[in-house]
Amino acid sequence: MKQFKEIFKEWHKEFPVLSKYTDRTLYMRINPFMIGLRLQKDRFGGDNYLPVLEIVPLWEENPQQFGESICWDNLQDMKRLDFVIDYRGHDYYFPEALECTKSQFGKILKEEIVFGDLMEFINHLIRQFITKHNPNEWIYVFQLQLALAMYFNKQDLLDQIGLNIEREIKYWTPKYIKYGKVLTTDEYREEIYQPFKDRGKFMETIEINSQRPKVAKLNVGTIVGVDDYHYEPKKSWLDRLQSIFVK
């Protein structure tokens, strides 16, 4: 049976743009966050692992929370099931796992990430929400969107995200939330926007966290095509219907 250290080295060899961050993570530093792969261990102690794409914010001010991922996505196999790999079967499944990784995450696991591809990945996360109006998922997605818009100072995108937040936050009531804490609208809004009230402090925090020894050793990438990206809000069913008849 292959040892985990050997498995980890094989993954690293296939993604040289990433650097070792911990014994189970391969990250790179890219503008306002770290992004990369975690080879998630079995929570019951079994000899298997699950590759997971993670995004870790560099704008986190709390030292005790720094390093926790804000968004993640499990690798899926050809049947759209979580791609859990047993150590004994690693050599057999590794080629397929690599193919799936490059298909699902390849556009955002490279030295230059196109801004539009990153925003599409965020939309992909939203489409996977099991519960449509679950603030525990939406809050982190909104924060990632806000962080990108604020980092690149895209006011048009900030405005649109703000509209999306106000539209979605109306659903966060006991009627729709079946589990987790229920806050007031103002409390939810405060939780979303708290890291982004002061752009100067936001940028300074990113710089400070980028100088942490483990972070500073990572390979560095960049997000490109920011000015080429233009947010196009989805039309409501009524707007789509009207567009059929109005030429």
Side-chain angles (χ1 to χ4, degrees):
M1 182 175 70
K2 213 154 208 175
Q3 298 300 307
F4 180 76
K5 287 185 177 180
E6 299 175 275
I7 293 171
F8 187 86
K9 287 181 180 178
E10 287 190 44
W11 279 96
H12 195 185
K13 182 179 178 181
E14 293 294 332
F15 294 93
V17 69
L18 305 178
S19 307
K20 180 179 178 181
Y21 185 71
T22 69
D23 290 340
R24 284 190 171 267
T25 55
L26 295 164
Y27 290 158
M28 65 184 296
R29 177 163 50 95
I30 188 157
N31 299 104
F33 53 76
M34 296 184 289
I35 188 170
L37 296 172
R38 173 183 295 276
L39 303 185
Q40 181 68 51
K41 64 181 178 181
D42 186 283
R43 59 179 176 175
F44 300 111
D47 291 327
N48 56 63
Y49 70 95
L50 169 66
V52 181
L53 183 132
E54 293 188 324
I55 295 177
V56 179
L58 289 173
W59 62 86
E60 177 58 62
E61 297 180 49
N62 188 338
Q64 295 180 337
Q65 294 181 357
F66 182 81
E68 296 181 7
S69 57
I70 192 172
C71 291
W72 58 89
D73 193 24
N74 295 347
L75 182 68
Q76 295 185 326
D77 60 21
M78 299 298 186
K79 297 179 181 179
R80 310 308 296 172
L81 301 174
D82 286 353
F83 207 140
V84 179
I85 305 171
D86 189 278
Y87 292 179
R88 294 177 181 84
H90 168 79
D91 287 344
Y92 178 81
Y93 288 107
F94 189 51
E96 182 184 347
L98 276 178
E99 182 180 349
C100 290
T101 303
K102 291 174 181 178
S103 173
Q104 294 171 44
F105 309 139
K107 289 184 177 181
I108 57 173
L109 282 182
K110 55 185 183 179
E111 191 172 358
E112 291 189 348
I113 302 176
V114 177
F115 191 84
D117 290 337
L118 188 56
M119 296 301 287
E120 176 53 36
F121 174 73
I122 296 173
N123 289 333
H124 158 73
L125 294 178
I126 293 171
R127 289 192 292 269
Q128 293 188 103
F129 287 174
I130 296 175
T131 303
K132 185 176 181 181
H133 301 298
N134 177 12
N136 297 315
E137 294 175 319
W138 274 106
I139 285 172
Y140 296 120
V141 165
F142 282 142
Q143 287 186 334
L144 180 55
Q145 291 177 329
L146 287 169
L148 287 166
M150 178 166 284
Y151 185 89
F152 292 107
N153 206 18
K154 285 184 69 69
Q155 189 59 51
D156 60 332
L157 186 54
L158 281 170
D159 293 341
Q160 184 58 53
I161 295 168
L163 292 176
N164 292 346
I165 289 171
E166 294 307 313
R167 186 182 300 116
E168 173 60 28
I169 208 171
K170 294 177 182 178
Y171 293 100
W172 298 351
T173 65
K175 177 182 177 181
Y176 289 98
I177 301 173
K178 305 302 181 184
Y179 62 92
K181 62 182 179 181
V182 180
L183 306 177
T184 66
T185 299
D186 288 340
E187 288 172 331
Y188 278 128
R189 191 180 291 108
E190 172 68 18
E191 188 168 341
I192 294 170
Y193 282 106
Q194 194 281 326
F196 314 107
K197 292 181 178 179
D198 184 330
R199 185 172 186 270
K201 185 177 181 181
F202 168 80
M203 299 295 285
E204 181 182 3
T205 302
I206 291 173
E207 180 59 29
I208 291 173
N209 285 328
S210 296
Q211 299 307 314
R212 289 171 175 263
K214 286 175 62 177
V215 179
K217 292 179 181 179
L218 298 177
N219 290 339
V220 180
T222 188
I223 297 171
V224 300
V226 178
D227 293 335
D228 297 330
Y229 178 82
H230 299 285
Y231 181 86
E232 294 184 6
K234 292 183 178 180
K235 294 182 178 179
S236 68
W237 68 270
L238 181 59
D239 290 335
R240 292 196 298 270
L241 182 63
Q242 289 176 337
S243 66
I244 296 175
F245 299 99
V246 178
K247 299 294 184 181

PDB file of all heavy atoms in Angstrom, residues 177-207:
ATOM      1  N   ILE A 177     -35.015  29.203   6.929  1.00  0.00           N
ATOM      2  CA  ILE A 177     -33.822  28.608   7.529  1.00  0.00           C
ATOM      3  C   ILE A 177     -34.233  27.459   8.431  1.00  0.00           C
ATOM      4  O   ILE A 177     -34.904  27.657   9.451  1.00  0.00           O
ATOM      5  CB  ILE A 177     -33.030  29.661   8.320  1.00  0.00           C
ATOM      6  CG1 ILE A 177     -32.623  30.810   7.391  1.00  0.00           C
ATOM      7  CG2 ILE A 177     -31.790  29.042   8.949  1.00  0.00           C
ATOM      8  CD1 ILE A 177     -31.990  31.979   8.117  1.00  0.00           C
ATOM      9  N   LYS A 178     -33.836  26.270   8.069  1.00  0.00           N
ATOM     10  CA  LYS A 178     -34.241  25.075   8.811  1.00  0.00           C
ATOM     11  C   LYS A 178     -33.193  24.635   9.833  1.00  0.00           C
ATOM     12  O   LYS A 178     -33.469  23.799  10.677  1.00  0.00           O
ATOM     13  CB  LYS A 178     -34.511  23.925   7.834  1.00  0.00           C
ATOM     14  CG  LYS A 178     -35.528  24.263   6.752  1.00  0.00           C
ATOM     15  CD  LYS A 178     -36.867  24.685   7.351  1.00  0.00           C
ATOM     16  CE  LYS A 178     -37.886  24.996   6.257  1.00  0.00           C
ATOM     17  NZ  LYS A 178     -39.165  25.491   6.813  1.00  0.00           N
ATOM     18  N   TYR A 179     -31.971  25.155   9.735  1.00  0.00           N
ATOM     19  CA  TYR A 179     -30.935  24.800  10.705  1.00  0.00           C
ATOM     20  C   TYR A 179     -29.952  25.957  10.815  1.00  0.00           C
ATOM     21  O   TYR A 179     -29.878  26.812   9.950  1.00  0.00           O
ATOM     22  CB  TYR A 179     -30.206  23.530  10.284  1.00  0.00           C
ATOM     23  CG  TYR A 179     -29.473  23.627   8.975  1.00  0.00           C
ATOM     24  CD1 TYR A 179     -28.128  24.009   8.925  1.00  0.00           C
ATOM     25  CD2 TYR A 179     -30.113  23.344   7.768  1.00  0.00           C
ATOM     26  CE1 TYR A 179     -27.455  24.099   7.732  1.00  0.00           C
ATOM     27  CE2 TYR A 179     -29.442  23.428   6.565  1.00  0.00           C
ATOM     28  CZ  TYR A 179     -28.107  23.798   6.559  1.00  0.00           C
ATOM     29  OH  TYR A 179     -27.434  23.891   5.363  1.00  0.00           O
ATOM     30  N   GLY A 180     -29.197  25.971  11.903  1.00  0.00           N
ATOM     31  CA  GLY A 180     -28.229  27.045  12.122  1.00  0.00           C
ATOM     32  C   GLY A 180     -28.876  28.238  12.803  1.00  0.00           C
ATOM     33  O   GLY A 180     -30.093  28.298  13.001  1.00  0.00           O
ATOM     34  N   LYS A 181     -28.045  29.204  13.141  1.00  0.00           N
ATOM     35  CA  LYS A 181     -28.544  30.378  13.854  1.00  0.00           C
ATOM     36  C   LYS A 181     -29.345  31.284  12.918  1.00  0.00           C
ATOM     37  O   LYS A 181     -29.088  31.354  11.725  1.00  0.00           O
ATOM     38  CB  LYS A 181     -27.378  31.164  14.452  1.00  0.00           C
ATOM     39  CG  LYS A 181     -26.390  31.721  13.422  1.00  0.00           C
ATOM     40  CD  LYS A 181     -25.245  32.446  14.114  1.00  0.00           C
ATOM     41  CE  LYS A 181     -24.253  32.982  13.066  1.00  0.00           C
ATOM     42  NZ  LYS A 181     -23.113  33.667  13.702  1.00  0.00           N
ATOM     43  N   VAL A 182     -30.324  31.959  13.492  1.00  0.00           N
ATOM     44  CA  VAL A 182     -31.133  32.915  12.750  1.00  0.00           C
ATOM     45  C   VAL A 182     -30.892  34.299  13.348  1.00  0.00           C
ATOM     46  O   VAL A 182     -31.151  34.528  14.529  1.00  0.00           O
ATOM     47  CB  VAL A 182     -32.630  32.564  12.826  1.00  0.00           C
ATOM     48  CG1 VAL A 182     -33.443  33.589  12.038  1.00  0.00           C
ATOM     49  CG2 VAL A 182     -32.884  31.165  12.284  1.00  0.00           C
ATOM     50  N   LEU A 183     -30.372  35.220  12.528  1.00  0.00           N
ATOM     51  CA  LEU A 183     -30.075  36.572  12.970  1.00  0.00           C
ATOM     52  C   LEU A 183     -31.078  37.543  12.367  1.00  0.00           C
ATOM     53  O   LEU A 183     -31.869  37.176  11.498  1.00  0.00           O
ATOM     54  CB  LEU A 183     -28.656  36.952  12.547  1.00  0.00           C
ATOM     55  CG  LEU A 183     -27.520  36.017  12.972  1.00  0.00           C
ATOM     56  CD1 LEU A 183     -26.193  36.520  12.410  1.00  0.00           C
ATOM     57  CD2 LEU A 183     -27.443  35.886  14.483  1.00  0.00           C
ATOM     58  N   THR A 184     -31.003  38.768  12.805  1.00  0.00           N
ATOM     59  CA  THR A 184     -31.809  39.802  12.169  1.00  0.00           C
ATOM     60  C   THR A 184     -31.162  40.174  10.840  1.00  0.00           C
ATOM     61  O   THR A 184     -29.982  39.861  10.597  1.00  0.00           O
ATOM     62  CB  THR A 184     -31.896  41.050  13.054  1.00  0.00           C
ATOM     63  OG1 THR A 184     -30.592  41.643  13.161  1.00  0.00           O
ATOM     64  CG2 THR A 184     -32.416  40.705  14.443  1.00  0.00           C
ATOM     65  N   THR A 185     -31.904  40.860   9.991  1.00  0.00           N
ATOM     66  CA  THR A 185     -31.370  41.295   8.705  1.00  0.00           C
ATOM     67  C   THR A 185     -30.132  42.164   8.901  1.00  0.00           C
ATOM     68  O   THR A 185     -29.129  42.007   8.191  1.00  0.00           O
ATOM     69  CB  THR A 185     -32.438  42.076   7.920  1.00  0.00           C
ATOM     70  OG1 THR A 185     -33.553  41.224   7.675  1.00  0.00           O
ATOM     71  CG2 THR A 185     -31.883  42.555   6.586  1.00  0.00           C
ATOM     72  N   ASP A 186     -30.183  43.068   9.860  1.00  0.00           N
ATOM     73  CA  ASP A 186     -29.040  43.945  10.122  1.00  0.00           C
ATOM     74  C   ASP A 186     -27.826  43.160  10.606  1.00  0.00           C
ATOM     75  O   ASP A 186     -26.685  43.475  10.243  1.00  0.00           O
ATOM     76  CB  ASP A 186     -29.403  45.008  11.162  1.00  0.00           C
ATOM     77  CG  ASP A 186     -30.348  46.062  10.606  1.00  0.00           C
ATOM     78  OD1 ASP A 186     -30.414  46.199   9.370  1.00  0.00           O
ATOM     79  OD2 ASP A 186     -31.027  46.730  11.408  1.00  0.00           O
ATOM     80  N   GLU A 187     -28.050  42.121  11.416  1.00  0.00           N
ATOM     81  CA  GLU A 187     -26.938  41.297  11.909  1.00  0.00           C
ATOM     82  C   GLU A 187     -26.306  40.491  10.781  1.00  0.00           C
ATOM     83  O   GLU A 187     -25.081  40.354  10.707  1.00  0.00           O
ATOM     84  CB  GLU A 187     -27.428  40.371  13.020  1.00  0.00           C
ATOM     85  CG  GLU A 187     -27.737  41.093  14.322  1.00  0.00           C
ATOM     86  CD  GLU A 187     -28.407  40.186  15.343  1.00  0.00           C
ATOM     87  OE1 GLU A 187     -29.123  39.229  14.938  1.00  0.00           O
ATOM     88  OE2 GLU A 187     -28.238  40.435  16.551  1.00  0.00           O
ATOM     89  N   TYR A 188     -27.136  39.961   9.888  1.00  0.00           N
ATOM     90  CA  TYR A 188     -26.595  39.243   8.732  1.00  0.00           C
ATOM     91  C   TYR A 188     -25.772  40.198   7.857  1.00  0.00           C
ATOM     92  O   TYR A 188     -24.671  39.860   7.401  1.00  0.00           O
ATOM     93  CB  TYR A 188     -27.728  38.656   7.889  1.00  0.00           C
ATOM     94  CG  TYR A 188     -28.273  37.344   8.389  1.00  0.00           C
ATOM     95  CD1 TYR A 188     -29.633  37.174   8.591  1.00  0.00           C
ATOM     96  CD2 TYR A 188     -27.429  36.263   8.632  1.00  0.00           C
ATOM     97  CE1 TYR A 188     -30.148  35.966   9.036  1.00  0.00           C
ATOM     98  CE2 TYR A 188     -27.945  35.049   9.069  1.00  0.00           C
ATOM     99  CZ  TYR A 188     -29.292  34.907   9.277  1.00  0.00           C
ATOM    100  OH  TYR A 188     -29.803  33.713   9.714  1.00  0.00           O
ATOM    101  N   ARG A 189     -26.315  41.380   7.620  1.00  0.00           N
ATOM    102  CA  ARG A 189     -25.631  42.362   6.787  1.00  0.00           C
ATOM    103  C   ARG A 189     -24.278  42.747   7.403  1.00  0.00           C
ATOM    104  O   ARG A 189     -23.274  42.863   6.709  1.00  0.00           O
ATOM    105  CB  ARG A 189     -26.520  43.587   6.594  1.00  0.00           C
ATOM    106  CG  ARG A 189     -26.009  44.547   5.521  1.00  0.00           C
ATOM    107  CD  ARG A 189     -26.934  45.737   5.364  1.00  0.00           C
ATOM    108  NE  ARG A 189     -28.218  45.369   4.784  1.00  0.00           N
ATOM    109  CZ  ARG A 189     -29.364  45.336   5.452  1.00  0.00           C
ATOM    110  NH1 ARG A 189     -29.383  45.652   6.744  1.00  0.00           N
ATOM    111  NH2 ARG A 189     -30.487  44.997   4.841  1.00  0.00           N
ATOM    112  N   GLU A 190     -24.254  42.917   8.705  1.00  0.00           N
ATOM    113  CA  GLU A 190     -23.023  43.265   9.411  1.00  0.00           C
ATOM    114  C   GLU A 190     -21.985  42.155   9.274  1.00  0.00           C
ATOM    115  O   GLU A 190     -20.804  42.419   9.047  1.00  0.00           O
ATOM    116  CB  GLU A 190     -23.325  43.519  10.896  1.00  0.00           C
ATOM    117  CG  GLU A 190     -22.106  43.701  11.788  1.00  0.00           C
ATOM    118  CD  GLU A 190     -21.344  44.977  11.498  1.00  0.00           C
ATOM    119  OE1 GLU A 190     -21.915  45.895  10.863  1.00  0.00           O
ATOM    120  OE2 GLU A 190     -20.162  45.056  11.889  1.00  0.00           O
ATOM    121  N   GLU A 191     -22.428  40.911   9.373  1.00  0.00           N
ATOM    122  CA  GLU A 191     -21.505  39.775   9.254  1.00  0.00           C
ATOM    123  C   GLU A 191     -20.888  39.710   7.861  1.00  0.00           C
ATOM    124  O   GLU A 191     -19.706  39.398   7.705  1.00  0.00           O
ATOM    125  CB  GLU A 191     -22.238  38.474   9.579  1.00  0.00           C
ATOM    126  CG  GLU A 191     -21.323  37.267   9.661  1.00  0.00           C
ATOM    127  CD  GLU A 191     -22.000  36.041  10.258  1.00  0.00           C
ATOM    128  OE1 GLU A 191     -23.044  36.197  10.930  1.00  0.00           O
ATOM    129  OE2 GLU A 191     -21.483  34.926  10.055  1.00  0.00           O
ATOM    130  N   ILE A 192     -21.682  40.003   6.843  1.00  0.00           N
ATOM    131  CA  ILE A 192     -21.173  39.961   5.471  1.00  0.00           C
ATOM    132  C   ILE A 192     -20.152  41.067   5.234  1.00  0.00           C
ATOM    133  O   ILE A 192     -19.053  40.831   4.721  1.00  0.00           O
ATOM    134  CB  ILE A 192     -22.333  40.106   4.458  1.00  0.00           C
ATOM    135  CG1 ILE A 192     -23.265  38.900   4.524  1.00  0.00           C
ATOM    136  CG2 ILE A 192     -21.778  40.260   3.034  1.00  0.00           C
ATOM    137  CD1 ILE A 192     -24.558  39.079   3.738  1.00  0.00           C
ATOM    138  N   TYR A 193     -20.491  42.278   5.627  1.00  0.00           N
ATOM    139  CA  TYR A 193     -19.704  43.449   5.241  1.00  0.00           C
ATOM    140  C   TYR A 193     -18.562  43.789   6.210  1.00  0.00           C
ATOM    141  O   TYR A 193     -17.719  44.627   5.871  1.00  0.00           O
ATOM    142  CB  TYR A 193     -20.612  44.677   5.131  1.00  0.00           C
ATOM    143  CG  TYR A 193     -21.421  44.740   3.854  1.00  0.00           C
ATOM    144  CD1 TYR A 193     -22.786  44.468   3.869  1.00  0.00           C
ATOM    145  CD2 TYR A 193     -20.831  45.078   2.643  1.00  0.00           C
ATOM    146  CE1 TYR A 193     -23.539  44.538   2.708  1.00  0.00           C
ATOM    147  CE2 TYR A 193     -21.573  45.149   1.480  1.00  0.00           C
ATOM    148  CZ  TYR A 193     -22.925  44.877   1.516  1.00  0.00           C
ATOM    149  OH  TYR A 193     -23.667  44.945   0.359  1.00  0.00           O
ATOM    150  N   GLN A 194     -18.523  43.174   7.383  1.00  0.00           N
ATOM    151  CA  GLN A 194     -17.574  43.579   8.412  1.00  0.00           C
ATOM    152  C   GLN A 194     -16.120  43.693   7.912  1.00  0.00           C
ATOM    153  O   GLN A 194     -15.436  44.684   8.201  1.00  0.00           O
ATOM    154  CB  GLN A 194     -17.668  42.613   9.599  1.00  0.00           C
ATOM    155  CG  GLN A 194     -16.981  43.097  10.865  1.00  0.00           C
ATOM    156  CD  GLN A 194     -15.482  42.908  10.840  1.00  0.00           C
ATOM    157  OE1 GLN A 194     -14.989  41.944  10.264  1.00  0.00           O
ATOM    158  NE2 GLN A 194     -14.753  43.832  11.437  1.00  0.00           N
ATOM    159  N   PRO A 195     -15.603  42.727   7.122  1.00  0.00           N
ATOM    160  CA  PRO A 195     -14.196  42.836   6.695  1.00  0.00           C
ATOM    161  C   PRO A 195     -13.950  43.906   5.625  1.00  0.00           C
ATOM    162  O   PRO A 195     -12.798  44.180   5.294  1.00  0.00           O
ATOM    163  CB  PRO A 195     -13.895  41.441   6.125  1.00  0.00           C
ATOM    164  CG  PRO A 195     -15.005  40.558   6.590  1.00  0.00           C
ATOM    165  CD  PRO A 195     -16.194  41.454   6.694  1.00  0.00           C
ATOM    166  N   PHE A 196     -15.014  44.512   5.079  1.00  0.00           N
ATOM    167  CA  PHE A 196     -14.865  45.352   3.891  1.00  0.00           C
ATOM    168  C   PHE A 196     -15.301  46.797   4.108  1.00  0.00           C
ATOM    169  O   PHE A 196     -15.544  47.525   3.154  1.00  0.00           O
ATOM    170  CB  PHE A 196     -15.652  44.736   2.728  1.00  0.00           C
ATOM    171  CG  PHE A 196     -15.436  43.255   2.583  1.00  0.00           C
ATOM    172  CD1 PHE A 196     -16.426  42.358   2.939  1.00  0.00           C
ATOM    173  CD2 PHE A 196     -14.224  42.764   2.129  1.00  0.00           C
ATOM    174  CE1 PHE A 196     -16.219  40.995   2.831  1.00  0.00           C
ATOM    175  CE2 PHE A 196     -14.003  41.400   2.018  1.00  0.00           C
ATOM    176  CZ  PHE A 196     -15.005  40.508   2.370  1.00  0.00           C
ATOM    177  N   LYS A 197     -15.379  47.216   5.347  1.00  0.00           N
ATOM    178  CA  LYS A 197     -15.831  48.576   5.635  1.00  0.00           C
ATOM    179  C   LYS A 197     -14.769  49.620   5.307  1.00  0.00           C
ATOM    180  O   LYS A 197     -15.089  50.764   4.999  1.00  0.00           O
ATOM    181  CB  LYS A 197     -16.225  48.680   7.113  1.00  0.00           C
ATOM    182  CG  LYS A 197     -17.465  47.875   7.473  1.00  0.00           C
ATOM    183  CD  LYS A 197     -17.801  48.038   8.949  1.00  0.00           C
ATOM    184  CE  LYS A 197     -19.071  47.281   9.303  1.00  0.00           C
ATOM    185  NZ  LYS A 197     -19.410  47.415  10.745  1.00  0.00           N
ATOM    186  N   ASP A 198     -13.511  49.223   5.365  1.00  0.00           N
ATOM    187  CA  ASP A 198     -12.402  50.153   5.152  1.00  0.00           C
ATOM    188  C   ASP A 198     -11.434  49.509   4.163  1.00  0.00           C
ATOM    189  O   ASP A 198     -10.729  48.563   4.516  1.00  0.00           O
ATOM    190  CB  ASP A 198     -11.712  50.448   6.486  1.00  0.00           C
ATOM    191  CG  ASP A 198     -10.602  51.485   6.380  1.00  0.00           C
ATOM    192  OD1 ASP A 198      -9.967  51.569   5.302  1.00  0.00           O
ATOM    193  OD2 ASP A 198     -10.347  52.185   7.373  1.00  0.00           O
ATOM    194  N   ARG A 199     -11.393  49.999   2.924  1.00  0.00           N
ATOM    195  CA  ARG A 199     -10.541  49.375   1.912  1.00  0.00           C
ATOM    196  C   ARG A 199      -9.069  49.459   2.290  1.00  0.00           C
ATOM    197  O   ARG A 199      -8.297  48.535   2.049  1.00  0.00           O
ATOM    198  CB  ARG A 199     -10.754  50.015   0.542  1.00  0.00           C
ATOM    199  CG  ARG A 199      -9.980  49.306  -0.573  1.00  0.00           C
ATOM    200  CD  ARG A 199     -10.333  49.819  -1.956  1.00  0.00           C
ATOM    201  NE  ARG A 199      -9.684  49.015  -2.977  1.00  0.00           N
ATOM    202  CZ  ARG A 199      -8.476  49.269  -3.468  1.00  0.00           C
ATOM    203  NH1 ARG A 199      -7.786  50.326  -3.035  1.00  0.00           N
ATOM    204  NH2 ARG A 199      -7.935  48.481  -4.396  1.00  0.00           N
ATOM    205  N   GLY A 200      -8.663  50.572   2.903  1.00  0.00           N
ATOM    206  CA  GLY A 200      -7.271  50.708   3.305  1.00  0.00           C
ATOM    207  C   GLY A 200      -6.862  49.633   4.294  1.00  0.00           C
ATOM    208  O   GLY A 200      -5.797  49.013   4.158  1.00  0.00           O
ATOM    209  N   LYS A 201      -7.699  49.402   5.295  1.00  0.00           N
ATOM    210  CA  LYS A 201      -7.411  48.371   6.289  1.00  0.00           C
ATOM    211  C   LYS A 201      -7.465  46.979   5.670  1.00  0.00           C
ATOM    212  O   LYS A 201      -6.657  46.107   5.998  1.00  0.00           O
ATOM    213  CB  LYS A 201      -8.415  48.470   7.434  1.00  0.00           C
ATOM    214  CG  LYS A 201      -8.142  47.511   8.581  1.00  0.00           C
ATOM    215  CD  LYS A 201      -9.136  47.711   9.712  1.00  0.00           C
ATOM    216  CE  LYS A 201      -8.836  46.759  10.870  1.00  0.00           C
ATOM    217  NZ  LYS A 201      -9.819  46.930  11.976  1.00  0.00           N
ATOM    218  N   PHE A 202      -8.418  46.788   4.756  1.00  0.00           N
ATOM    219  CA  PHE A 202      -8.549  45.517   4.030  1.00  0.00           C
ATOM    220  C   PHE A 202      -7.263  45.199   3.271  1.00  0.00           C
ATOM    221  O   PHE A 202      -6.713  44.092   3.387  1.00  0.00           O
ATOM    222  CB  PHE A 202      -9.745  45.631   3.084  1.00  0.00           C
ATOM    223  CG  PHE A 202      -9.867  44.544   2.053  1.00  0.00           C
ATOM    224  CD1 PHE A 202     -10.391  43.307   2.380  1.00  0.00           C
ATOM    225  CD2 PHE A 202      -9.481  44.776   0.731  1.00  0.00           C
ATOM    226  CE1 PHE A 202     -10.528  42.314   1.421  1.00  0.00           C
ATOM    227  CE2 PHE A 202      -9.612  43.796  -0.230  1.00  0.00           C
ATOM    228  CZ  PHE A 202     -10.139  42.556   0.117  1.00  0.00           C
ATOM    229  N   MET A 203      -6.745  46.156   2.528  1.00  0.00           N
ATOM    230  CA  MET A 203      -5.520  45.948   1.748  1.00  0.00           C
ATOM    231  C   MET A 203      -4.314  45.754   2.667  1.00  0.00           C
ATOM    232  O   MET A 203      -3.422  44.942   2.380  1.00  0.00           O
ATOM    233  CB  MET A 203      -5.299  47.125   0.810  1.00  0.00           C
ATOM    234  CG  MET A 203      -6.407  47.341  -0.215  1.00  0.00           C
ATOM    235  SD  MET A 203      -6.578  45.989  -1.411  1.00  0.00           S
ATOM    236  CE  MET A 203      -5.142  46.294  -2.456  1.00  0.00           C
ATOM    237  N   GLU A 204      -4.287  46.488   3.762  1.00  0.00           N
ATOM    238  CA  GLU A 204      -3.176  46.371   4.714  1.00  0.00           C
ATOM    239  C   GLU A 204      -3.156  44.987   5.358  1.00  0.00           C
ATOM    240  O   GLU A 204      -2.081  44.382   5.521  1.00  0.00           O
ATOM    241  CB  GLU A 204      -3.302  47.448   5.794  1.00  0.00           C
ATOM    242  CG  GLU A 204      -2.176  47.413   6.818  1.00  0.00           C
ATOM    243  CD  GLU A 204      -2.354  48.445   7.906  1.00  0.00           C
ATOM    244  OE1 GLU A 204      -3.388  49.154   7.907  1.00  0.00           O
ATOM    245  OE2 GLU A 204      -1.475  48.540   8.785  1.00  0.00           O
ATOM    246  N   THR A 205      -4.331  44.466   5.700  1.00  0.00           N
ATOM    247  CA  THR A 205      -4.411  43.137   6.303  1.00  0.00           C
ATOM    248  C   THR A 205      -3.917  42.070   5.341  1.00  0.00           C
ATOM    249  O   THR A 205      -3.211  41.128   5.740  1.00  0.00           O
ATOM    250  CB  THR A 205      -5.865  42.822   6.728  1.00  0.00           C
ATOM    251  OG1 THR A 205      -6.315  43.819   7.646  1.00  0.00           O
ATOM    252  CG2 THR A 205      -5.950  41.461   7.400  1.00  0.00           C
ATOM    253  N   ILE A 206      -4.271  42.202   4.074  1.00  0.00           N
ATOM    254  CA  ILE A 206      -3.797  41.250   3.059  1.00  0.00           C
ATOM    255  C   ILE A 206      -2.273  41.282   2.985  1.00  0.00           C
ATOM    256  O   ILE A 206      -1.612  40.230   2.933  1.00  0.00           O
ATOM    257  CB  ILE A 206      -4.408  41.573   1.681  1.00  0.00           C
ATOM    258  CG1 ILE A 206      -5.911  41.278   1.700  1.00  0.00           C
ATOM    259  CG2 ILE A 206      -3.719  40.770   0.573  1.00  0.00           C
ATOM    260  CD1 ILE A 206      -6.637  41.716   0.450  1.00  0.00           C
ATOM    261  N   GLU A 207      -1.705  42.467   3.001  1.00  0.00           N
ATOM    262  CA  GLU A 207      -0.242  42.600   2.930  1.00  0.00           C
ATOM    263  C   GLU A 207       0.417  41.990   4.161  1.00  0.00           C
ATOM    264  O   GLU A 207       1.436  41.284   4.053  1.00  0.00           O
ATOM    265  CB  GLU A 207       0.135  44.080   2.801  1.00  0.00           C
ATOM    266  CG  GLU A 207       1.630  44.342   2.728  1.00  0.00           C
ATOM    267  CD  GLU A 207       2.299  43.648   1.550  1.00  0.00           C
ATOM    268  OE1 GLU A 207       1.632  43.436   0.517  1.00  0.00           O
ATOM    269  OE2 GLU A 207       3.504  43.297   1.681  1.00  0.00           O
TER     270      GLU A 207
END
